[in-house]
Amino acid sequence: IEFIYFHRFAESSIPPWLQGTLLRNGPGLFSVGNTSYKHWFDGMALIHSFTFKDGDVFYKSKFLKSETYKKNIAANRIVVSEFGTMVYPDPCKNIFSKAFSYLMNAIPDFTDNNLINIIRYGKDYYASSEVNYINQIDPLTLDTLGRTNYRNHIAINLATAHPHYDEEGNTYNMGTAIMNFGKPKYVIFKVPANATDKEKKKPALGNVEQICSIPFRSTLYPSYFHSFGMTENYIVFVEQAFKLDILKLATAYFRDVNWGSCLKFDKDDITLIHLVSRKTGKTVNAKYYADAFVVFHHINAYEEDSHVVFDLITYQDSNLYDMFYIHNMKQDVDKFIETNKDFSRPTCQRFVLPLNVDKETPPDTNLVRLQDTTAKAMLKQDGSIYCTPDTIFEGLELPGINYKFNSKKYRYFYGTRVEWSPYPSKIAKVDIATRTHQVWIEEECYPSEPVFVASPDAAEEDDGVILSSVVSFNPQKPPFLVVLDAKSFKEIARATIDTAVHMDLHGLFVFCICKSLWKKASAK
């Protein structure tokens, strides 16, 4: 349930300015009693942290005490449905109890097992996934402080776990309003930096501001989205052909199918790209579109010479989720490669949207005027703009950047190299300007999402370090946190952890929050 571990780095092995805490989130418990989850994304959330102080590092982990966790542990079995695991009434219950359970699940009340990311609203930190519930955590102790329902503050059923933060500390996010709120729509909202109540009696979401709403292109088949882009003046929303079937979702419980099966990719459809002004909430009139693809993670976006440039990771099919069913992940690597060799690889691509279109421009003209990309935006006869991307790199996921360059023109991004396996095998640094990359690798090891921490006196974009939690399939090789120099991409330190550490998904670094934790850990 709880673990604290202390590690002292070798003298001068890490920069003295690295003072703070890396918070991480991911699935950590896959069986309760005699029941087991079917999908890796279903495991109950385990929060862990690495705190740096004067050359020492303290590791801490706790399970998120969500309502889902409490119910499962109390029953000693999985009793709350998840993305890939649908749970049904206890067979010992009477017929009236079963009928009531089926009726209640006609409109899904989603799990609050927030296992994807750690996000900040105001000065509060929350474990998050993509449902209407988030759980506030204490970044110092990792204790669960209480559950918040988005729907009590803004009319949405789903929300992303990948918000954006501006330089003032405001948080921007997106959600989907599906049921009971009038016409279905996508909702973009903002939580101010000062949203946290001084007495901490009200959630930061109590001060949420809706920026705008965008109607669904198809009422019964809204686009799935896991993240979005943001520039200095615009929100970039990709309404993709990977869709949620609302009717199937509403009847999933009755038809004995999981929620994950309600997502379908329509390869014959198109992708619509929406630009929304952060200041006015108005959508740019131009219709930007592209061929169908699947996207989960945006890398970055910025404006240059009357263009919006945005980079994301695309797939040509929606089979990624299938790779993470537990029975697939347990396969021998060679067998997995053979079984899934036709799966689409993640491709880092750049799209460019022209903001100003001369009315006298003839059709089939490429409107992109930037010189450092092959991305095109062709003006069509009906006035719409057809966009084709520039491929930057292949085989990388879980991207991150120096966040000081978020919404600005940038040169480098970092991620995990993905081969034909659900497990990342390397950490990579990609140089967009030269289209080259560097890697860090260690045999038998799987690194997590790399997190960039900038040097406080940085003169260049890649002045800083990369942090990644690393696990191994070799039981004789203990897990560790690796610290890389971001410029040279060479290892400068590692902290070995004398306990099991789970493969995680996402998180963030917070400077200097845990003074009392260092004292407590030192005492232990």
Side-chain angles (χ1 to χ4, degrees), residues 83-98:
F83 171 83
T85 307
M86 189 62 72
V87 178
Y88 298 93
D90 188 326
C92 297
K93 288 185 177 181
N94 62 45
I95 190 171
F96 298 105
S97 178
K98 288 183 181 181

Side-chain angles (χ1 to χ4, degrees), residues 275-341:
L275 279 185
V276 179
S277 169
R278 286 171 54 183
K279 297 177 182 177
T280 67
K282 294 182 179 179
T283 303
V284 172
N285 290 329
K287 180 186 177 183
Y288 304 101
Y289 73 100
D291 291 339
F293 58 78
V294 174
V295 56
F296 301 100
H297 295 117
H298 284 246
I299 303 171
N300 197 13
Y302 61 91
E303 297 162 44
E304 182 180 15
D305 192 21
S306 297
H307 298 76
V308 167
V309 179
F310 68 98
D311 302 335
L312 39 71
I313 297 175
T314 68
Y315 295 82
Q316 294 307 305
D317 58 45
S318 59
N319 292 328
L320 178 67
Y321 278 138
D322 293 339
M323 295 173 67
F324 289 92
Y325 277 99
I326 300 298
H327 68 270
N328 280 336
M329 297 182 73
K330 287 183 176 180
Q331 290 184 102
D332 175 80
V333 173
D334 291 336
K335 183 178 180 182
F336 182 92
I337 293 173
E338 179 62 28
T339 302
N340 302 296
K341 62 184 179 181

Side-chain angles (χ1 to χ4, degrees), residues 114-234:
N114 305 127
L115 77 162
I116 294 180
N117 203 0
I118 305 294
I119 64 178
R120 177 179 57 76
Y121 287 126
K123 296 181 181 179
D124 302 332
Y125 293 85
Y126 296 85
S128 63
S129 49
E130 296 184 328
V131 297
N132 56 294
Y133 296 115
I134 52 176
N135 275 282
Q136 187 178 355
I137 64 166
D138 184 325
L140 166 62
T141 65
L142 305 187
D143 289 339
T144 306
L145 303 180
R147 186 171 79 170
T148 297
N149 189 342
Y150 277 110
R151 291 200 304 240
N152 292 337
H153 308 284
I154 189 168
I156 56 175
N157 299 90
L158 307 168
T160 87
H162 289 285
H164 284 277
Y165 311 99
D166 65 17
E167 292 179 341
E168 288 73 42
N170 303 307
T171 305
Y172 294 80
N173 208 347
M174 282 195 65
T176 305
I178 301 174
M179 306 167 189
N180 302 327
F181 304 117
K183 292 183 179 180
K185 55 197 174 185
Y186 310 106
V187 177
I188 300 171
F189 60 91
K190 169 185 171 182
V191 178
N194 61 356
T196 300
D197 188 305
K198 290 184 179 180
E199 298 180 358
K200 296 187 176 181
K201 293 182 178 180
K202 298 179 181 179
L205 280 171
N207 293 306
V208 65
E209 304 169 9
Q210 180 172 315
I211 295 176
C212 79
S213 63
I214 302 170
F216 289 0
R217 180 169 31 138
S218 174
T219 301
L220 294 178
Y221 300 95
S223 167
Y224 169 80
F225 55 98
H226 185 75
S227 61
F228 60 99
M230 188 172 81
T231 72
E232 181 182 355
N233 295 296
Y234 298 98

Side-chain angles (χ1 to χ4, degrees), residues 411-465:
R411 179 171 178 174
Y412 305 106
F413 64 92
Y414 311 86
T416 52
R417 288 284 277 132
V418 179
E419 309 295 344
W420 292 115
S421 164
Y423 308 108
S425 58
K426 309 170 187 176
I427 306 173
K429 172 187 179 181
V430 178
D431 184 331
I432 300 172
T434 63
R435 302 299 170 100
T436 59
H437 74 283
Q438 299 167 271
V439 298
W440 175 90
I441 184 173
E442 181 155 333
E443 293 299 323
E444 302 178 323
C445 286
Y446 301 125
S448 72
E449 166 194 62
V451 174
F452 181 94
V453 184
S455 167
D457 57 353
E460 297 182 306
E461 182 184 337
D462 58 350
D463 283 345
V465 297

